[in-house]
């Protein structure tokens, strides 16, 4: 069945970006020249996703403004001949049909995904965590959808992580099936290092069947006393196969100021228009 919808949880407080996040949602902070949220929506659009459901919380209304067309601005840019800018402005609002669901209480990632139950309906969908920015062509979601088609099952993105950091992530216990593809037996959210079944950790891209919602409804609070998506998937595995896929590409941590800086520099170095300027800026930095 074609996967048409993406759920993007964006209801968090963005504490690691305080005080900016008192007034600007973290998801609208830029990498180089556009909000990090736009990068993940571009990745979804490239993978054929037509509808994006963003989970937000009260006070983050500027996210929806960003995805509304602004005719007065577009007219002004057209009249002043700023066609490149006009194209950029229009591009942001034309990527997918975007809708919003409010998560009233911060009860965890699993709970956030559950709030999209009605908007998703009875079809498979993807979940994208906008903090995890992945650079690659084709995008990580396109790669995962091919694996999901091949195995006719849900797929979770994973990457090998240094053992001393695995306690920050969801961790899979899995058996390799093909190059980069593993069949999952067990999933644990943020285990202490000595209890982690492997160092293959979950990255924020998931392809899931609609049955995950019924599992999330019976998922009790877990790590950090929150309803965890990982625990919901563990319940789903009682009836459905799940695969872990080691995507091709580099993951940037958009959840921290330094992660965003690294992404901005590397994306800028990857673009012809900005490459030489950024190289010169780096060269000119004081050496100590
Ligand atoms: C979430 C998930 C975790 C996953 C991580 C990836 O954790 O709960 O399983 O490994 O995203 O970024 P969070 O970063 O919200 O604590």
């Amino acid at each position: 069945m074609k996967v048409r919808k993406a759920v993007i949880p964006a209801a968090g407080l963005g504490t690691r970006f305080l005080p900016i996040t008192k007034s600007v949602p973290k998801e609208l902070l830029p990498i180089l020249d556009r909000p990090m949220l736009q990068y993940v929506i571009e990745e979804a659009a490239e993978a054929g996703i037509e509808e994006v459901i963003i989970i937000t919380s009260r006070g983050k209304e500027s996210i929806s403004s960003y995805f509304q067309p602004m005719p007065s601005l577009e007219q002004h840019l057209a009249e002043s001949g700023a066609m490149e800018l006009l194209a950029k402005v229009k591009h942001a609002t034309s990527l997918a049909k975007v809708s919003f669901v409010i998560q009233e209480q911060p009860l965890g990632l699993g709970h956030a995904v559950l709030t999209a139950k009605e908007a998703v309906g009875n079809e498979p969908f993807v979940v994208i965590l906008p903090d995890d920015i992945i650079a690659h062509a084709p995008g990580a979601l396109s790669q995962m959808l091919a694996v999901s088609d091949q195995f006719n099952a849900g797929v979770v993105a994973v990457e090998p992580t240094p053992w001393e950091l695995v306690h920050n992530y969801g961790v899979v216990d899995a058996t390799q099936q093909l190059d980069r593809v593993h069949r999952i037996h067990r999933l644990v959210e943020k285990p202490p290092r000595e209890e982690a079944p492997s160092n293959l950790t979950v990255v924020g891209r998931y392809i899931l069947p609609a049955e995950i919602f019924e599992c999330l409804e019976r998922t009790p609070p877990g790590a950090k006393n929150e309803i965890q998506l990982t625990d919901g998937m563990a319940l789903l595995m009682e009836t459905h196969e799940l695969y872990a896929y080691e995507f091709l590409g580099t993951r940037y941590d958009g959840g921290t100021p330094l992660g965003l800086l690294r992404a901005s520099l590397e994306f800028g170095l990857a673009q012809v228009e900005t490459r030489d300027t950024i190289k010169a800026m780096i060269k000119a930095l004081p050496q100590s």
Side-chain angles (χ1 to χ4, degrees):
M1 193 170 174
K2 181 169 163 27
V3 179
R4 302 185 304 126
K5 297 184 181 179
V7 173
I8 305 186
L13 292 174
T15 41
R16 278 176 292 185
F17 282 101
L18 279 171
I20 309 170
T21 39
K22 280 171 69 192
S23 53
V24 180
K26 170 180 74 176
E27 295 77 11
L28 292 184
L29 295 177
I31 296 175
L32 205 60
D33 61 351
R34 48 202 201 278
M36 63 171 129
L37 184 55
Q38 188 169 331
Y39 285 83
V40 296
I41 296 181
E42 286 171 359
E43 182 188 326
E46 182 230 31
I49 298 295
E50 295 157 6
E51 281 189 55
V52 171
I53 299 145
I54 301 180
I55 316 299
T56 54
S57 49
R58 304 219 175 260
K60 296 183 92 172
E61 289 73 20
S62 52
I63 296 184
S64 70
S65 316
Y66 184 79
F67 291 99
Q68 304 288 323
M70 201 173 170
S72 58
L73 173 66
E74 290 176 19
Q75 195 186 341
H76 171 76
L77 293 172
E79 282 168 7
S80 52
M83 299 327 263
E84 247 180 68
L85 262 185
L86 177 62
K88 267 182 132 174
V89 167
K90 283 188 158 176
H91 177 66
T93 56
S94 66
L95 288 163
K97 176 175 173 252
V98 180
S99 63
F100 295 85
V101 175
I102 300 267
Q103 184 190 20
E104 295 287 357
Q105 287 174 287
L107 299 180
L109 177 59
H111 179 263
V113 172
L114 182 55
T115 62
K117 181 180 173 184
E118 269 180 42
V120 170
N122 190 23
E123 56 183 288
F125 64 105
V126 305
V127 176
I128 311 175
L129 306 189
D131 274 7
D132 286 334
I133 305 291
I134 302 174
H136 195 272
L141 275 176
S142 290
Q143 301 170 41
M144 290 168 69
L145 284 166
V147 177
S148 176
D149 274 352
Q150 188 179 357
F151 288 87
N152 194 23
V155 177
V156 179
V158 294
E159 68 177 356
T161 293
W163 279 95
E164 61 276 17
L165 298 176
V166 290
H167 64 275
N168 296 314
Y169 298 100
V171 182
V172 302
D173 183 2
T175 313
Q176 186 154 11
Q177 300 278 303
L178 293 176
D179 187 31
R180 298 183 173 274
V181 181
H182 310 252
R183 177 156 176 214
I184 305 179
H185 306 293
R186 194 161 65 94
L187 285 148
V188 203
E189 180 66 14
K190 299 191 173 66
R193 176 182 172 158
E194 46 306 338
E195 286 168 30
S198 77
N199 69 335
L200 270 188
T201 61
V202 174
V203 174
R205 302 286 184 277
Y206 312 76
I207 301 172
L208 295 167
E211 286 79 5
I212 187 70
F213 293 120
E214 174 267 314
C215 298
L216 288 169
E217 278 165 348
R218 29 186 199 100
T219 302
K224 299 201 295 194
N225 206 25
E226 292 177 349
I227 297 172
Q228 296 291 348
L229 180 57
T230 303
D231 297 341
M233 292 191 298
L235 286 179
L236 180 74
M237 285 186 51
E238 292 171 5
T239 48
H240 289 69
E241 283 187 348
L242 269 185
Y243 288 82
Y245 172 67
E246 286 181 66
F247 56 92
L248 294 164
T250 307
R251 169 197 176 231
Y252 299 90
D253 183 2
T256 65
L258 287 181
L260 268 196
L261 177 63
R262 177 177 163 233
S264 287
L265 285 172
E266 292 199 21
F267 286 18
L269 285 171
Q271 280 184 20
V272 241
E273 310 86 55
T274 44
R275 179 184 299 152
D276 291 342
T277 314
I278 294 181
K279 276 190 181 163
M281 279 164 55
I282 294 172
K283 221 171 156 192
L285 290 177
Q287 289 307 304
S288 56

